[in-house]
C-alpha cells in the first residue's frame, strides 16, 4: 500500500508537542523555545513532512502566488528565464503563474485577472519596454523588470544581461582573429538589447580604429529566416564582410545556412558568432562560437529581488546586469585573407 501523507499531528506526536506548537515552528512564530523548535524541526526532517502550502497561505491571509507576464512562452530566452525564476520561487514556498501577452492590450487584461481575481502578490514583466506595458503596472504591487536594462528614474528593480559588454566581447573576439570587415545582424531596433548590442559592437570597432560601415549593419527580427536574408544582402555587396556578429544564435543559424547555400565556407572564408548558446549550438555545422548568457541565473536573481520586495526585505529598487561568457567553437578562426 502507498505510504499515507505525513500530517502535522504525526509530527507533533513524534516530537512530543502539541500540533499548535508545530504550526508555530512552521510559520516562524517567535514564541517557541529554541530547544522545542530544534526538536520539531528534527521530527519534520525525519518524517519527511511537507507543509500544505494552501493551508499556510490561508492562515496568513496570503496566496503566496507570483505572476510572470512574457511576450511569449516559446522563445528560448524567455522560457529559460522563467524556468530559473520558477525553481527559485519554489524554494521559498511560492507558486509562479506564467502568462503571455503579445500586446499591450492583452497585458492590461491579464493584470486585471491576475491581481483582482487570483490575488497574485508580485509581478515579473519580461521585456517591459517592447511597448507601453511598463506604464501599466498595478499600483502597490511589487514588480521586477526582466531582460531590460534600467532607465533613468526607474522605481522598479530589474535584472538583465549586460548587452553592451556582450557585443563588445563578441566583436573584440573577431577583431583579435584579424577581421576588420565585420558585419552585424541586429534584433528589432526598438528593443533595448538590440540597441545596447549595437553600442558594444560600435565601441569595439572604434577602440581599434575601425570605421563603422552602415552597409554592414542589417536589421533582423531574431529569427533564422532574417539571418539568412541578412547574409544574402551582405554578400551582394562589392566588398562583403569576412566576419558576422549575429545578435542571437537563431539568426546565426540562418547565416550559416545561407553561407552553405552560396558555397561560402565557414570558418575558412567567413567567421560567424552568435549570442545565447542555445542547447543545439554545439551541434551546428560548424559548431557555433557564441556568447553564453546564464538565463537561469537571470530568472533566479529576478525571483530573489521580487520575493524580497514582497516580503519587504528590500524596498529600494536594485538593478543587476549579468555578464556573458565567450564559448569559442569552430565557426570562427583567424582570417586567412583580407
Amino acid at each position: 500500500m502507498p505510504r499515507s501523507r505525513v500530517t502535522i499531528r504525526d509530527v507533533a506526536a513524534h516530537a512530543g508537542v502539541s500540533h499548535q506548537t508545530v504550526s508555530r515552528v512552521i510559520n516562524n512564530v517567535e514564541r517557541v523555545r529554541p530547544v522545542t523548535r530544534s526538536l520539531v524541526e528534527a521530527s519534520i526532517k525525519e518524517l519527511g513532512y511537507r507543509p500544505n502550502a494552501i493551508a499556510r497561505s490561508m492562515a496568513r491571509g496570503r496566496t503566496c502566488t507570483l505572476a510572470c507576464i512574457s511576450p511569449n512562452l516559446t522563445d528560448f530566452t524567455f522560457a529559460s528565464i522563467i524556468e530559473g525564476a520558477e525553481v527559485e520561487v519554489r524554494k521559498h514556498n511560492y507558486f509562479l503563474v506564467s502568462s503571455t501577452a503579445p500586446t499591450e492590450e492583452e497585458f492590461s487584461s491579464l493584470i486585471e485577472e491576475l491581481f483582482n481575481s487570483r490575488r497574485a502578490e508580485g509581478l515579473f514583466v519580461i521585456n517591459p519596454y517592447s511597448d507601453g506595458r511598463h506604464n501599466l503596472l498595478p499600483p502597490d504591487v511589487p514588480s521586477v523588470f526582466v531582460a531590460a536594462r534600467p532607465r533613468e528614474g526607474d522605481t522598479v528593480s530589474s535584472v538583465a544581461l549586460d548587452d553592451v559588454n556582450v557585443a563588445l566581447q563578441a566583436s573584440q573576439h573577431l577583431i583579435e582573429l584579424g577581421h576588420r570587415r565585420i558585419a552585424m545582424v541586429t534584433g528589432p531596433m526598438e528593443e533595448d538589447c538590440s540597441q545596447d548590442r549595437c553600442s558594444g559592437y560600435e565601441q569595439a570597432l572604434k577602440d581599434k580604429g575601425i570605421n563603422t560601415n552602415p552597409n554592414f549593419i542589417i536589421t533582423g527580427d531574431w529569427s533564422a529566416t532574417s539571418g539568412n536574408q541578412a547574409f544574402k544582402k551582405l554578400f551582394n555587396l562589392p566588398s562583403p564582410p569576412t566576419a558576422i556578429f549575429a545578435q542571437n544564435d537563431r539568426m546565426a543559424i540562418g547565416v550559416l545556412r545561407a553561407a552553405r547555400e552560396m558555397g561560402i565556407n565557414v570558418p575558412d572564408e567567413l567567421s560567424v558568432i552568435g549570442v545565447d548558446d542555445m542547447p543545439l549550438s554545439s551541434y551546428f555545422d560548424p559548431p557555433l562560437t557564441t556568447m553564453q548568457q546564464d538565463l537561469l541565473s537571470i530568472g533566479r536573481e529576478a525571483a530573489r529581488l521580487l520575493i524580497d520586495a514582497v516580503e519587504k526585505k528590500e524596498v529600494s529598487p536594485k538593478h543587476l546586469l549579468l555578464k556573458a561568457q565567450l564559448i569559442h567553437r569552430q565557426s570562427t578562426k583567424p582570417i586567412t585573407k583580407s
Side-chain angles (χ1 to χ4, degrees), residues 30-78:
E30 293 183 0
R31 59 178 189 276
V32 179
R33 291 186 301 168
V35 174
T36 303
R37 184 180 297 277
S38 296
L39 187 63
V40 171
E41 289 173 346
S43 294
I44 288 173
K45 185 175 182 180
E46 185 174 340
L47 295 176
Y49 173 67
R50 297 181 64 185
N52 186 305
I54 296 175
R56 290 181 68 188
S57 298
M58 290 176 64
R60 297 176 181 181
R62 296 181 53 191
T63 64
C64 290
T65 296
L66 305 177
C68 176
I69 302 180
S70 171
N72 65 70
L73 296 178
T74 58
D75 180 90
F76 169 75
T77 300
F78 298 160

Side-chain angles (χ1 to χ4, degrees), residues 304-335:
R304 289 169 189 154
L305 286 180
L306 186 56
I307 290 168
D308 282 350
V310 168
E311 298 181 353
K312 299 193 169 45
K313 292 178 182 175
E314 182 63 59
V315 292
S316 58
K318 296 177 70 175
H319 304 293
L320 305 181
L321 289 176
L322 306 189
K323 302 297 183 183
Q325 178 183 358
L326 174 67
I327 305 297
H328 189 185
R329 297 193 180 103
Q330 284 75 57
S331 68
T332 56
K333 64 175 288 188
I335 190 168

Side-chain angles (χ1 to χ4, degrees), residues 134-153:
H134 58 282
N135 292 318
L136 300 176
L137 301 182
D140 304 321
V141 171
S143 302
V144 171
F145 287 162
V146 190
R149 61 169 156 79
R151 298 191 176 189
E152 188 174 352

Side-chain angles (χ1 to χ4, degrees), residues 111-128:
I111 287 292
E112 184 174 351
E113 169 69 17
L114 290 167
F115 291 92
N116 292 340
S117 301
R118 301 186 182 275
R119 297 177 56 218
E121 296 186 53
L123 174 66
F124 299 100
V125 183
I126 296 181
N127 215 13

Side-chain angles (χ1 to χ4, degrees), residues 222-239:
W222 303 124
S223 71
T225 299
S226 69
N228 189 290
Q229 293 169 344
F231 176 90
K232 292 173 180 176
K233 291 179 183 177
L234 291 167
F235 274 76
N236 279 325
L237 295 172
S239 182

